[in-house]
Amino acid sequence: MIILNTAQEMRDWSTRAWAKGQQIGFVPTMGALHEGHASLMRAAVAENNGAVLSIFVNPAQFAPHEDFGRYPRTFDADCALADDLGVAAVYAPAAEAMYPPDYSSYVEVGGVSEGLCGASRPHFYRGVCTVVTKLFNAVKPHRAYFGQKDAQQTAVIRRMVRDLDMDIEIIEMPIVREADGLAMSSRNRYLSPEERERALALSRSLQIARTAMADGERDADTLITQVREALEPVRVDYVALVDTVTMEPVTTIKQPVLLAIAAYVGNTRLIDNIKFIPPDAH
Ligand code: AMP
């Protein structure tokens, strides 16, 4: 496995891969890898003949009060895992090279990025879309793999790729959870044992809603109230029931929906979600 640190090196590697007719599968991450990231890497390795992992803690997607400075960084262990899984190249650019002092270009996606995490973190998707565009331009992938854990992010990237005519297939992989249901996240490392226990309210609340939807409940207010009650041990940022593609709020479920939550456990902000497709969806 090769480690590439500049966009030029990355582009040269990809140009050679394209010339050999290889398909490139790309997994963008901020590192501190866990089994959720591993599932994306496994898919990228299996479905392509050159998998690229990027590790970049993107300053453009953090607000000044957020956790950029203390975000976990475990580069050597991340590379060892990627190597084990058969990743061909790790792209790990330096922040100063990605954003020189006179940097002034940003990618903004309207609509789909405005609710949910976009409302709570107004800077967030502009930072994500900008860095993902830069990473796509360096890696030149045929396919890119994202996790349903960040379902709005996948929807925003899909819209960006469609609107800007990027010739890249976006693949969303299921959420990988701990045995007790907690969605895996690099930020779970911040949790104390007591917070780790309380954090289970997120996945439990979604399970309650999943059962209610399977039993025929279709009213968004009813479902959201049930989820909020189950989230009593944590501080809710949002609970939202939205269309899976547009991220527009839904009042009565008739189409595939995303039930998404964000909540603070102590100082740590966690997100989780489920998707539900009604059997009679049109
Ligand atoms: P991050 O490093 O947190 O920015 O995440 C990089 C990619 O891994 C994103 O596409 C995430 O959605 C995905 N990811 C993070 N956690 C999980 C998980 N528990 N299951 C599946 N994918 C995940």
Side-chain angles (χ1 to χ4, degrees), residues 227-239:
V227 171
R228 282 188 171 271
E229 279 169 14
L231 287 172
E232 196 267 325
V234 300
R235 183 161 63 85
V236 173
D237 177 7
Y238 66 74
V239 177

Side-chain angles (χ1 to χ4, degrees), residues 28-30 34 36-37 40 71 146-147 149-150 153 174-176 184:
T29 78
M30 299 204 298
H34 50 66
H37 301 112
L40 307 187
Y71 196 85
F146 293 85
K149 166 82 190 331
D150 301 86
Q153 173 170 277
I175 301 178
V176 177
M184 289 194 184

Side-chain angles (χ1 to χ4, degrees), residues 112-161:
V112 68
S113 74
E114 284 162 22
L116 313 177
C117 288
S120 307
R121 308 178 71 193
H123 55 281
F124 180 64
Y125 285 115
R126 180 186 194 245
V128 167
C129 290
T130 300
V131 82
V132 169
T133 300
K134 287 171 68 69
L135 294 170
F136 281 175
N137 285 337
V139 176
K140 299 189 280 189
H142 296 77
R143 298 185 187 83
Y145 296 79
F146 293 85
Q148 187 196 316
K149 166 82 190 331
D150 301 86
Q152 186 184 18
Q153 173 170 277
T154 316
V156 170
I157 299 292
R158 279 194 206 283
R159 181 59 59 90
M160 175 182 85
V161 161

Side-chain angles (χ1 to χ4, degrees), residues 38 101 128 200 246 269:
V128 167
L200 290 176
T246 63
R269 184 175 178 279

